Amino acid sequence: MNTQTDTAVSSPASSMSTAVILAAGRGTRMKSERPKVMHPLAGQPMLRYLIDNAAQVFDRIVVVVGPGMEDVAALAAPHAVVVQHDRLGTGHAARQAEEAFGTGDVAVLYGDNPLITSGTMRALLERKRRDDTALALLAMEPADPGRYGRVVMQGDQVTRIVEWADANDQERAIGLCNAGVLCASAGDFRRWLSEIRNDNAQGEYYLGDVVACAVADGGRVRAVVAPEDELRGINSRAELAMAEACVQARLRQAVMAAGTTLIAPDTVFLCVDTVLEPDTVVHPHVVFGPGVHIRRGTEIHAFSHVEGAVVGPDASIGPYARLRPGSDVGEGARVGNFVEIKATTLGAGAKASHLTYLGNATVGSGANIGAGTITCNYDGVFKHQTEIGADSFIGSDSVLVAPVRVGDGVITAAGSVITQDVPDGAMAFGRARQSNRDGYAQAFRQKLKNKKEQG
C-alpha cells in the first residue's frame, strides 16, 4: 500500500536504482511516544539524514513506515511511502516495498542507522555492480565488537553471517561485524525475501537471512567496510547521545575547515543548518539552534545561545547572550552579557551591552540601549512593536511600553517608563516625581526597631 506516490510504485523504471528505508520501528527502548526516526540529531530528525544522503546516490527512495506514522510519512515526502501494517520483522518490512523495486539494483537501509554517508552508499552500490557480485553488504570493524553479528569470510567473499548468540569462541573472535545494510538486484532480492522463514524465537522474518539465501544460491557475497561511526544503530537514548556526538564532530570539523575559529570545539554545539562564514570566532560553551547564519568577522562569546537569527558581519555577541528566532543583528552591532532579543532588528553599530530584553523591536543604527532596558511587547493576547530610531540613547532601566515609537536622536532619562511616542531629537522623562524628607531616615529606622521589639 503506497500512501503518497502511487505512480512511483506501480510504474518503476527498469534501470533505476532504489533505496528502501525501513522506518516502521516504534523504538520501545527509547521510552518515547515519538517514532524513533523522528528523534533529532543536531536539530534535524534522524531519518532526514538518511533520505538526503540516499537521494544523492539512488534514483528512487521508498520509505517503509508503521501504521499511524503520519509524521514520518510527511517527513519522507515527496518520496514514496508504504505501510507495514503488521510488524513481523525487517524482512517482512522490506517485502512491503517489493512493488517499487523495479528491475534495477535495490539497497535496504535502516532509518535508525542515519549516519551512513553518500560516499559509503555509493561504494555499496558500486561493489554490487562489480565482479559478478550477487549481494553486497556493509560491515564494520568496531573497537568493541560486543554482541554484533560476525561476518565470516573466505577470501574476499562472505560465506555467512553468524549472530553473537549462535557464535562459537573462534567466530566471536572475528572483528568484522555486520551492519545489516544489503544491496542486490531487484529480482534476486524478491526471490530471497520469499525464501526467508520466521522459525525463530521471535517469530519474525529477518532481513539478514537473505545473506544465507544468496550463499545457498551460489552467488558471490561481498562486504564493504565502512567506519563504525557511520554504522551506529540508535535504539536507546544513550545511543542517540553517541550519534549526536558523531554528528557534532562532523559539523565542527566542517566549519573549521571552512574558516571559522572554534576556541574549544568540543563545547560548541551546532545544528545541521548552521552557517558560520569565514573569520567568525566562537568562544567556549556556545549553542546554535536551528536557522542561524553568522556573517564574516563576527565574534560569539562564551555561554551564548543563538537560534533563528542572522548576525553580523563584524558583530559581537555575548557572553551570556540569548538570540531568539526572528533576530537580525546588523554590521558591527553588539549584544552584550545577559541580553535577550527576540524578533528584533538591531541596525548597524547599535549596542545593547548588558541586562536588557528587546522583543518585537526595531533598533536604528548607532542606537545605544542602556542596562536594564526592556520592551513591554506583550499585552497577554497580542505582541506589539517598539521602534527605536537611529542614534537614540535609551537610559538605563527604561521601560518602553509597546506599541511605541522613539524617534531618531532621542534620549530617554534613566528609569523612565515610556508609553507615548517620542519625536525625533526630543528628551523623554517618564519618572514619578521624587520627594526628599530631611532627617526622616533615622526616625523611620527607629520606628521599625520599636515594632520589632514589640514583637
Side-chain angles (χ1 to χ4, degrees):
M1 174 181 171
N2 179 8
T3 63
Q4 294 226 11
T5 312
D6 293 335
T7 54
V9 172
S10 60
S11 303
S14 60
S15 62
M16 297 176 73
S17 60
T18 301
V20 176
I21 299 176
L22 307 185
R26 285 171 291 198
T28 305
R29 283 191 281 163
M30 300 289 282
K31 302 292 190 297
S32 174
E33 296 182 2
R34 178 188 296 178
K36 179 163 54 173
V37 297
M38 295 297 290
H39 284 264
L41 293 170
Q44 176 175 267
M46 67 172 80
L47 178 61
R48 189 76 253 166
Y49 289 87
L50 205 58
I51 290 175
D52 290 346
N53 285 333
Q56 299 177 45
V57 179
F58 297 93
D59 299 303
R60 178 177 49 240
I61 296 173
V62 183
V63 180
V64 181
V65 304
M69 288 187 170
E70 289 79 9
D71 51 352
V72 180
L75 180 65
H79 303 291
V81 174
V82 296
V83 179
Q84 182 190 20
H85 290 284
D86 300 309
R87 291 181 171 91
L88 301 177
T90 52
H92 177 263
R95 291 188 65 178
Q96 308 313 297
E98 280 185 337
E99 293 182 21
F101 282 5
T103 57
D105 291 317
V106 176
V108 180
L109 309 164
Y110 297 88
D112 57 4
N113 282 77
L115 303 185
I116 303 174
T117 63
S118 59
T120 294
M121 294 182 193
R122 190 170 290 109
L124 178 70
L125 189 58
E126 291 174 352
R127 174 78 274 183
K128 160 60 188 65
R129 292 173 173 175
R130 292 204 314 266
D131 304 327
D132 299 322
T133 300
L135 178 69
L137 59 85
L138 289 185
M140 58 182 171
E141 297 176 309
D144 179 12
R147 301 178 71 89
Y148 284 114
R150 302 306 202 264
V151 180
V152 181
M153 303 285 294
Q154 184 174 347
D156 68 343
Q157 295 189 51
V158 177
T159 60
R160 62 195 177 99
I161 304 294
V162 58
E163 296 304 322
W164 184 90
D166 301 322
N168 58 37
D169 290 342
Q170 183 178 3
E171 290 164 338
R172 289 181 180 179
I174 296 172
L176 189 63
C177 298
N178 180 35
V181 175
L182 306 176
C183 184
S185 69
D188 285 343
F189 237 135
R190 287 193 186 94
R191 183 174 71 258
W192 296 331
L193 286 171
S194 70
E195 294 173 359
I196 62 177
R197 298 290 178 260
N198 66 339
D199 50 353
N200 52 63
Q202 286 73 33
E204 295 185 352
Y205 298 89
Y206 294 131
L207 181 64
D209 291 347
V210 163
V211 177
C213 295
V215 172
D217 252 4
R220 296 175 182 267
V221 181
R222 291 190 168 89
V224 174
V225 180
E228 178 185 4
D229 284 349
E230 288 192 30
L231 302 181
R232 291 184 183 276
I234 300 175
N235 296 291
S236 66
R237 302 283 183 165
E239 290 173 346
L240 182 68
M242 293 172 66
E244 179 75 28
C246 292
V247 173
Q248 289 297 332
R250 291 183 189 179
L251 295 174
R252 292 165 187 149
Q253 185 60 42
V255 299
M256 288 189 289
T260 289
T261 295
L262 303 182
I263 292 176
D266 289 348
T267 71
V268 175
F269 290 85
L270 305 161
C271 272
V272 69
D273 64 347
T274 302
V275 177
L276 302 178
E277 293 186 2
D279 292 324
T280 58
V281 177
V282 182
H283 288 253
H285 303 290
V286 172
V287 176
F288 295 101
V292 173
H293 188 144
I294 308 297
R295 294 199 170 102
R296 184 181 295 270
T298 289
E299 191 163 4
I300 311 294
H301 295 272
F303 295 101
S304 294
H305 188 285
V306 185
E307 179 178 357
V310 177
V311 182
D314 299 316
S316 177
I317 306 298
Y320 294 97
R322 185 182 182 195
L323 274 58
R324 292 170 58 191
S327 297
D328 189 335
V329 179
E331 180 174 4
R334 173 169 175 75
V335 178
N337 50 296
F338 302 105
V339 174
E340 177 181 352
I341 68 173
K342 187 270 295 182
T344 289
T345 298
L346 261 63
K351 297 178 182 179
S353 294
H354 30 237
L355 302 166
T356 290
Y357 170 71
L358 300 174
N360 299 91
T362 300
V363 179
S365 61
N368 192 328
I369 311 299
T373 295
I374 63 171
T375 59
C376 294
N377 56 324
Y378 185 47
D379 63 9
V381 178
F382 299 105
K383 299 290 179 69
H384 299 282
Q385 193 74 18
T386 297
E387 182 180 347
I388 300 171
D391 299 315
S392 285
F393 185 97
I394 307 301
S396 295
D397 205 28
S398 290
V399 178
L400 309 179
V401 182
V404 68
R405 179 187 182 276
V406 175
D408 295 342
V410 163
I411 296 176
T412 67
S416 291
V417 177
I418 305 300
T419 59
Q420 299 177 12
D421 290 354
V422 182
D424 294 352
M427 185 170 185
F429 294 83
R431 301 169 177 164
R433 182 181 294 274
Q434 177 177 325
S435 63
N436 298 330
R437 302 184 183 183
D438 293 339
Y440 185 73
Q442 183 176 354
F444 183 72
R445 288 192 187 97
Q446 189 60 50
K447 182 178 179 181
L448 294 178
K449 289 178 182 179
N450 293 340
K451 285 186 176 183
K452 183 176 182 180
E453 291 173 357
Q454 294 169 8

mmCIF file of all heavy atoms in Angstrom, residues 109-136:
data_model
loop_
_atom_site.group_PDB
_atom_site.id
_atom_site.type_symbol
_atom_site.label_atom_id
_atom_site.label_comp_id
_atom_site.label_asym_id
_atom_site.label_seq_id
_atom_site.Cartn_x
_atom_site.Cartn_y
_atom_site.Cartn_z
ATOM 1 N N LEU A 109 18.110 0.007 3.629
ATOM 2 C CA LEU A 109 18.743 0.760 4.708
ATOM 3 C C LEU A 109 17.806 0.814 5.905
ATOM 4 O O LEU A 109 16.614 0.522 5.791
ATOM 5 C CB LEU A 109 19.072 2.175 4.234
ATOM 6 C CG LEU A 109 19.843 2.303 2.914
ATOM 7 C CD1 LEU A 109 19.761 3.723 2.391
ATOM 8 C CD2 LEU A 109 21.288 1.906 3.107
ATOM 9 N N TYR A 110 18.334 1.239 7.028
ATOM 10 C CA TYR A 110 17.555 1.322 8.259
ATOM 11 C C TYR A 110 17.465 2.779 8.714
ATOM 12 O O TYR A 110 18.476 3.473 8.817
ATOM 13 C CB TYR A 110 18.191 0.486 9.367
ATOM 14 C CG TYR A 110 18.247 -0.989 9.062
ATOM 15 C CD1 TYR A 110 19.326 -1.528 8.366
ATOM 16 C CD2 TYR A 110 17.222 -1.845 9.450
ATOM 17 C CE1 TYR A 110 19.382 -2.880 8.070
ATOM 18 C CE2 TYR A 110 17.267 -3.193 9.162
ATOM 19 C CZ TYR A 110 18.343 -3.712 8.471
ATOM 20 O OH TYR A 110 18.390 -5.052 8.170
ATOM 21 N N GLY A 111 16.243 3.213 9.021
ATOM 22 C CA GLY A 111 16.048 4.588 9.452
ATOM 23 C C GLY A 111 16.762 4.926 10.737
ATOM 24 O O GLY A 111 17.049 6.099 11.005
ATOM 25 N N ASP A 112 17.063 3.910 11.558
ATOM 26 C CA ASP A 112 17.773 4.179 12.812
ATOM 27 C C ASP A 112 19.274 3.978 12.670
ATOM 28 O O ASP A 112 19.984 3.898 13.659
ATOM 29 C CB ASP A 112 17.210 3.323 13.950
ATOM 30 C CG ASP A 112 17.263 1.831 13.654
ATOM 31 O OD1 ASP A 112 17.804 1.441 12.596
ATOM 32 O OD2 ASP A 112 16.748 1.048 14.479
ATOM 33 N N ASN A 113 19.770 3.881 11.429
ATOM 34 C CA ASN A 113 21.201 3.982 11.113
ATOM 35 C C ASN A 113 21.400 5.208 10.226
ATOM 36 O O ASN A 113 21.663 5.096 9.033
ATOM 37 C CB ASN A 113 21.701 2.731 10.374
ATOM 38 C CG ASN A 113 21.922 1.568 11.294
ATOM 39 O OD1 ASN A 113 20.962 0.930 11.712
ATOM 40 N ND2 ASN A 113 23.164 1.288 11.626
ATOM 41 N N PRO A 114 21.264 6.415 10.797
ATOM 42 C CA PRO A 114 21.132 7.615 9.964
ATOM 43 C C PRO A 114 22.436 8.226 9.478
ATOM 44 O O PRO A 114 22.400 9.138 8.653
ATOM 45 C CB PRO A 114 20.427 8.597 10.905
ATOM 46 C CG PRO A 114 20.931 8.215 12.260
ATOM 47 C CD PRO A 114 21.085 6.720 12.229
ATOM 48 N N LEU A 115 23.585 7.756 9.942
ATOM 49 C CA LEU A 115 24.832 8.475 9.696
ATOM 50 C C LEU A 115 25.627 7.936 8.517
ATOM 51 O O LEU A 115 26.763 8.367 8.288
ATOM 52 C CB LEU A 115 25.689 8.463 10.957
ATOM 53 C CG LEU A 115 25.028 9.037 12.215
ATOM 54 C CD1 LEU A 115 26.022 9.089 13.357
ATOM 55 C CD2 LEU A 115 24.441 10.419 11.953
ATOM 56 N N ILE A 116 25.048 7.023 7.743
ATOM 57 C CA ILE A 116 25.750 6.490 6.575
ATOM 58 C C ILE A 116 25.869 7.603 5.538
ATOM 59 O O ILE A 116 24.882 8.207 5.127
ATOM 60 C CB ILE A 116 25.001 5.291 5.988
ATOM 61 C CG1 ILE A 116 24.813 4.210 7.048
ATOM 62 C CG2 ILE A 116 25.750 4.724 4.783
ATOM 63 C CD1 ILE A 116 23.963 3.046 6.588
ATOM 64 N N THR A 117 27.067 7.868 5.099
ATOM 65 C CA THR A 117 27.296 8.963 4.153
ATOM 66 C C THR A 117 26.951 8.538 2.732
ATOM 67 O O THR A 117 26.872 7.344 2.410
ATOM 68 C CB THR A 117 28.765 9.409 4.194
ATOM 69 O OG1 THR A 117 29.596 8.321 3.771
ATOM 70 C CG2 THR A 117 29.160 9.844 5.596
ATOM 71 N N SER A 118 26.783 9.517 1.887
ATOM 72 C CA SER A 118 26.511 9.220 0.478
ATOM 73 C C SER A 118 27.683 8.483 -0.147
ATOM 74 O O SER A 118 27.500 7.629 -1.024
ATOM 75 C CB SER A 118 26.209 10.515 -0.284
ATOM 76 O OG SER A 118 27.304 11.416 -0.198
ATOM 77 N N GLY A 119 28.898 8.784 0.288
ATOM 78 C CA GLY A 119 30.066 8.091 -0.239
ATOM 79 C C GLY A 119 30.033 6.606 0.061
ATOM 80 O O GLY A 119 30.368 5.769 -0.803
ATOM 81 N N THR A 120 29.633 6.246 1.262
ATOM 82 C CA THR A 120 29.536 4.831 1.616
ATOM 83 C C THR A 120 28.406 4.155 0.853
ATOM 84 O O THR A 120 28.548 3.016 0.391
ATOM 85 C CB THR A 120 29.332 4.685 3.131
ATOM 86 O OG1 THR A 120 30.514 5.154 3.802
ATOM 87 C CG2 THR A 120 29.062 3.253 3.523
ATOM 88 N N MET A 121 27.271 4.843 0.707
ATOM 89 C CA MET A 121 26.179 4.275 -0.093
ATOM 90 C C MET A 121 26.624 4.039 -1.533
ATOM 91 O O MET A 121 26.307 3.009 -2.142
ATOM 92 C CB MET A 121 24.977 5.218 -0.074
ATOM 93 C CG MET A 121 24.312 5.386 1.268
ATOM 94 S SD MET A 121 22.880 6.493 1.132
ATOM 95 C CE MET A 121 22.546 6.825 2.862
ATOM 96 N N ARG A 122 27.367 4.992 -2.080
ATOM 97 C CA ARG A 122 27.844 4.855 -3.463
ATOM 98 C C ARG A 122 28.813 3.680 -3.583
ATOM 99 O O ARG A 122 28.772 2.921 -4.562
ATOM 100 C CB ARG A 122 28.497 6.155 -3.904
ATOM 101 C CG ARG A 122 28.810 6.227 -5.387
ATOM 102 C CD ARG A 122 29.232 7.621 -5.807
ATOM 103 N NE ARG A 122 28.103 8.554 -5.744
ATOM 104 C CZ ARG A 122 27.974 9.510 -4.842
ATOM 105 N NH1 ARG A 122 28.901 9.675 -3.896
ATOM 106 N NH2 ARG A 122 26.929 10.316 -4.858
ATOM 107 N N ALA A 123 29.672 3.509 -2.581
ATOM 108 C CA ALA A 123 30.610 2.388 -2.593
ATOM 109 C C ALA A 123 29.866 1.059 -2.535
ATOM 110 O O ALA A 123 30.265 0.079 -3.189
ATOM 111 C CB ALA A 123 31.578 2.507 -1.417
ATOM 112 N N LEU A 124 28.789 0.997 -1.760
ATOM 113 C CA LEU A 124 27.973 -0.220 -1.682
ATOM 114 C C LEU A 124 27.361 -0.549 -3.037
ATOM 115 O O LEU A 124 27.412 -1.701 -3.496
ATOM 116 C CB LEU A 124 26.874 -0.032 -0.631
ATOM 117 C CG LEU A 124 25.904 -1.199 -0.462
ATOM 118 C CD1 LEU A 124 26.603 -2.391 0.194
ATOM 119 C CD2 LEU A 124 24.686 -0.770 0.368
ATOM 120 N N LEU A 125 26.790 0.461 -3.690
ATOM 121 C CA LEU A 125 26.157 0.243 -4.992
ATOM 122 C C LEU A 125 27.203 -0.163 -6.036
ATOM 123 O O LEU A 125 26.963 -1.089 -6.841
ATOM 124 C CB LEU A 125 25.426 1.515 -5.422
ATOM 125 C CG LEU A 125 24.526 1.434 -6.645
ATOM 126 C CD1 LEU A 125 23.440 0.386 -6.470
ATOM 127 C CD2 LEU A 125 23.889 2.802 -6.933
ATOM 128 N N GLU A 126 28.357 0.465 -6.018
ATOM 129 C CA GLU A 126 29.415 0.124 -6.975
ATOM 130 C C GLU A 126 29.967 -1.277 -6.711
ATOM 131 O O GLU A 126 30.294 -2.010 -7.649
ATOM 132 C CB GLU A 126 30.523 1.169 -6.914
ATOM 133 C CG GLU A 126 30.102 2.532 -7.449
ATOM 134 C CD GLU A 126 31.164 3.589 -7.238
ATOM 135 O OE1 GLU A 126 32.170 3.307 -6.537
ATOM 136 O OE2 GLU A 126 30.990 4.710 -7.760
ATOM 137 N N ARG A 127 30.073 -1.667 -5.444
ATOM 138 C CA ARG A 127 30.535 -3.017 -5.108
ATOM 139 C C ARG A 127 29.582 -4.067 -5.669
ATOM 140 O O ARG A 127 29.995 -5.099 -6.195
ATOM 141 C CB ARG A 127 30.645 -3.159 -3.594
ATOM 142 C CG ARG A 127 30.972 -4.540 -3.064
ATOM 143 C CD ARG A 127 32.440 -4.881 -3.207
ATOM 144 N NE ARG A 127 32.780 -5.433 -4.499
ATOM 145 C CZ ARG A 127 33.986 -5.856 -4.837
ATOM 146 N NH1 ARG A 127 34.997 -5.749 -3.990
ATOM 147 N NH2 ARG A 127 34.226 -6.354 -6.028
ATOM 148 N N LYS A 128 28.276 -3.801 -5.577
ATOM 149 C CA LYS A 128 27.289 -4.732 -6.123
ATOM 150 C C LYS A 128 27.463 -4.875 -7.634
ATOM 151 O O LYS A 128 27.266 -5.962 -8.201
ATOM 152 C CB LYS A 128 25.874 -4.221 -5.789
ATOM 153 C CG LYS A 128 24.739 -4.763 -6.658
ATOM 154 C CD LYS A 128 24.596 -6.267 -6.583
ATOM 155 C CE LYS A 128 23.583 -6.774 -7.612
ATOM 156 N NZ LYS A 128 23.993 -6.564 -9.000
ATOM 157 N N ARG A 129 27.859 -3.813 -8.307
ATOM 158 C CA ARG A 129 27.905 -3.814 -9.768
ATOM 159 C C ARG A 129 29.241 -4.293 -10.326
ATOM 160 O O ARG A 129 29.436 -4.284 -11.541
ATOM 161 C CB ARG A 129 27.595 -2.400 -10.283
ATOM 162 C CG ARG A 129 26.147 -2.000 -10.011
ATOM 163 C CD ARG A 129 25.859 -0.555 -10.345
ATOM 164 N NE ARG A 129 24.424 -0.270 -10.234
ATOM 165 C CZ ARG A 129 23.882 0.930 -10.373
ATOM 166 N NH1 ARG A 129 24.673 1.985 -10.620
ATOM 167 N NH2 ARG A 129 22.586 1.103 -10.259
ATOM 168 N N ARG A 130 30.161 -4.726 -9.457
ATOM 169 C CA ARG A 130 31.462 -5.205 -9.911
ATOM 170 C C ARG A 130 31.611 -6.701 -9.680
ATOM 171 O O ARG A 130 31.051 -7.262 -8.724
ATOM 172 C CB ARG A 130 32.602 -4.486 -9.167
ATOM 173 C CG ARG A 130 32.732 -3.016 -9.497
ATOM 174 C CD ARG A 130 34.164 -2.516 -9.235
ATOM 175 N NE ARG A 130 34.694 -2.955 -7.961
ATOM 176 C CZ ARG A 130 34.642 -2.258 -6.832
ATOM 177 N NH1 ARG A 130 34.064 -1.077 -6.827
ATOM 178 N NH2 ARG A 130 35.172 -2.722 -5.720
ATOM 179 N N ASP A 131 32.365 -7.356 -10.551
ATOM 180 C CA ASP A 131 32.851 -8.721 -10.319
ATOM 181 C C ASP A 131 31.738 -9.743 -10.098
ATOM 182 O O ASP A 131 31.875 -10.660 -9.277
ATOM 183 C CB ASP A 131 33.788 -8.750 -9.100
ATOM 184 C CG ASP A 131 34.948 -7.780 -9.246
ATOM 185 O OD1 ASP A 131 35.406 -7.576 -10.377
ATOM 186 O OD2 ASP A 131 35.370 -7.235 -8.218
ATOM 187 N N ASP A 132 30.637 -9.591 -10.793
ATOM 188 C CA ASP A 132 29.541 -10.559 -10.679
ATOM 189 C C ASP A 132 29.054 -10.729 -9.248
ATOM 190 O O ASP A 132 28.672 -11.824 -8.822
ATOM 191 C CB ASP A 132 29.967 -11.927 -11.235
ATOM 192 C CG ASP A 132 30.331 -11.858 -12.714
ATOM 193 O OD1 ASP A 132 29.631 -11.108 -13.427
ATOM 194 O OD2 ASP A 132 31.283 -12.528 -13.125
ATOM 195 N N THR A 133 29.108 -9.655 -8.475
ATOM 196 C CA THR A 133 28.623 -9.719 -7.101
ATOM 197 C C THR A 133 27.103 -9.832 -7.096
ATOM 198 O O THR A 133 26.407 -9.020 -7.710
ATOM 199 C CB THR A 133 29.050 -8.472 -6.312
ATOM 200 O OG1 THR A 133 30.470 -8.390 -6.299
ATOM 201 C CG2 THR A 133 28.526 -8.514 -4.885
ATOM 202 N N ALA A 134 26.592 -10.846 -6.389
ATOM 203 C CA ALA A 134 25.140 -11.013 -6.281
ATOM 204 C C ALA A 134 24.566 -10.170 -5.150
ATOM 205 O O ALA A 134 23.455 -9.640 -5.262
ATOM 206 C CB ALA A 134 24.797 -12.488 -6.063
ATOM 207 N N LEU A 135 25.328 -10.067 -4.060
ATOM 208 C CA LEU A 135 24.851 -9.338 -2.884
ATOM 209 C C LEU A 135 26.032 -8.616 -2.255
ATOM 210 O O LEU A 135 27.078 -9.210 -2.015
ATOM 211 C CB LEU A 135 24.231 -10.306 -1.869
ATOM 212 C CG LEU A 135 23.718 -9.695 -0.563
ATOM 213 C CD1 LEU A 135 22.482 -8.843 -0.809
ATOM 214 C CD2 LEU A 135 23.408 -10.781 0.462
ATOM 215 N N ALA A 136 25.854 -7.328 -2.000
ATOM 216 C CA ALA A 136 26.853 -6.543 -1.279
ATOM 217 C C ALA A 136 26.267 -6.114 0.054
ATOM 218 O O ALA A 136 25.067 -5.820 0.150
ATOM 219 C CB ALA A 136 27.273 -5.322 -2.087
#
